[in-house]
């Protein structure tokens, strides 16, 4: 038996608690994710992004409906030893950035650094040693050249690295 949208939402809330809207996210006062001059985009190598459907489909026994918002789980580790290791896990929801988020997941699955790809598309990479092999990415430049949503900076998936 397939679950209705309301049942899926209720199951998500009971299981995952707070869901952060990627489309409406605003950081705390004084915080900014604006691109500084002379900076490169860096994807956190200790961060991973997965679609919520991968986790919930085996539990609910049905796919989440394709219409409406899509949810993603962002896991970010901050290293340290077992006793001192810290991490962030957040559930992000979006309607406006579904294609972009799915593109980031595709980059991860191909071991492509979306931050480096952004820098290359924007012409921020000068050294040929740093350039990616774009032929293996088969990526769409409109995603590669897009500034990531603010929440991905706030929760540690991306950061700006001043040169």
């Amino acid at each position: 038996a397939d679950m209705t949208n309301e049942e899926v939402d209720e199951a998500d809330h009971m299981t995952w608690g707070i869901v952060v809207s990627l489309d409406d996210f605003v950081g705390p006062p004084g915080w900014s994710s604006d691109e500084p001059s002379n900076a490169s985009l860096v994807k956190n190598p200790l961060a991973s992004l997965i679609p919520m459907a991968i986790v919930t489909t085996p539990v609910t026994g049905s796919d989440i409906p394709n219409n409406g918002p899509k949810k993603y789980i962002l896991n970010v580790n901050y290293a340290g030893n077992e006793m001192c290791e810290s991490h962030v896990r957040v559930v992000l929801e979006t309607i406006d950035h579904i294609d972009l988020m799915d593109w980031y997941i595709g980059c991860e699955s191909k071991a492509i650094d979306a931050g480096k790809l952004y820098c290359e598309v924007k012409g921020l990479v000068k050294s040929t040693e740093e350039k990616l092999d774009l032929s293996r990415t088969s990526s769409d430049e409109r995603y590669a050249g897009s500034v990531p949503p603010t929440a991905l900076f706030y929760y540690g998936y991306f950061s700006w690295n001043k040169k």
Side-chain angles (χ1 to χ4, degrees):
D2 288 342
M3 295 177 72
T4 66
N5 285 345
E6 290 172 1
E7 291 171 327
V8 169
D9 287 344
E10 186 177 326
D12 282 352
H13 182 70
M14 291 184 328
T15 306
W16 301 102
I18 297 172
V19 175
V20 176
S21 171
L22 201 60
D23 303 333
D24 303 322
F25 182 83
V26 178
W31 179 83
S32 173
S33 66
D34 294 342
E35 181 176 359
S37 60
N38 200 22
S40 57
L41 183 64
V42 178
K43 191 246 177 223
N44 184 342
L46 299 177
S48 66
L49 189 62
I50 59 172
M52 174 75 86
I54 289 176
V55 176
T56 58
T57 300
V59 174
T60 63
S62 65
D63 290 333
I64 294 175
N66 288 337
N67 54 355
K70 188 170 178 182
K71 292 182 176 79
Y72 300 86
I73 301 169
L74 173 61
N75 292 303
V76 182
N77 288 323
Y78 290 100
N81 61 33
E82 286 183 33
M83 296 298 292
C84 297
E85 184 177 54
S86 61
H87 68 278
V88 170
R89 172 173 286 157
V90 64
V91 176
L92 303 167
E93 179 179 74
T94 185
I95 292 176
D96 299 340
H97 301 291
I98 291 173
D99 291 340
L100 181 61
M101 296 293 282
D102 288 344
W103 183 78
Y104 291 144
I105 290 169
C107 284
E108 280 191 30
S109 71
K110 297 174 187 172
I112 297 169
D113 186 321
K116 286 183 181 177
L117 194 54
Y118 171 88
C119 293
E120 185 157 331
V121 168
K122 292 294 187 178
L124 302 172
V125 177
K126 306 289 188 247
S127 166
T128 54
E129 297 157 6
E130 294 178 28
K131 289 194 175 190
L132 295 173
D133 178 6
L134 291 177
S135 63
R136 73 179 185 100
T137 66
S138 67
S139 66
D140 189 328
E141 279 195 25
R142 84 186 136 148
Y143 299 128
S146 297
V147 174
T150 303
L152 294 181
F153 288 98
Y154 186 76
Y155 290 107
Y157 189 73
F158 285 114
S159 64
W160 294 112
N161 183 22
K162 286 196 133 204
K163 293 181 180 183

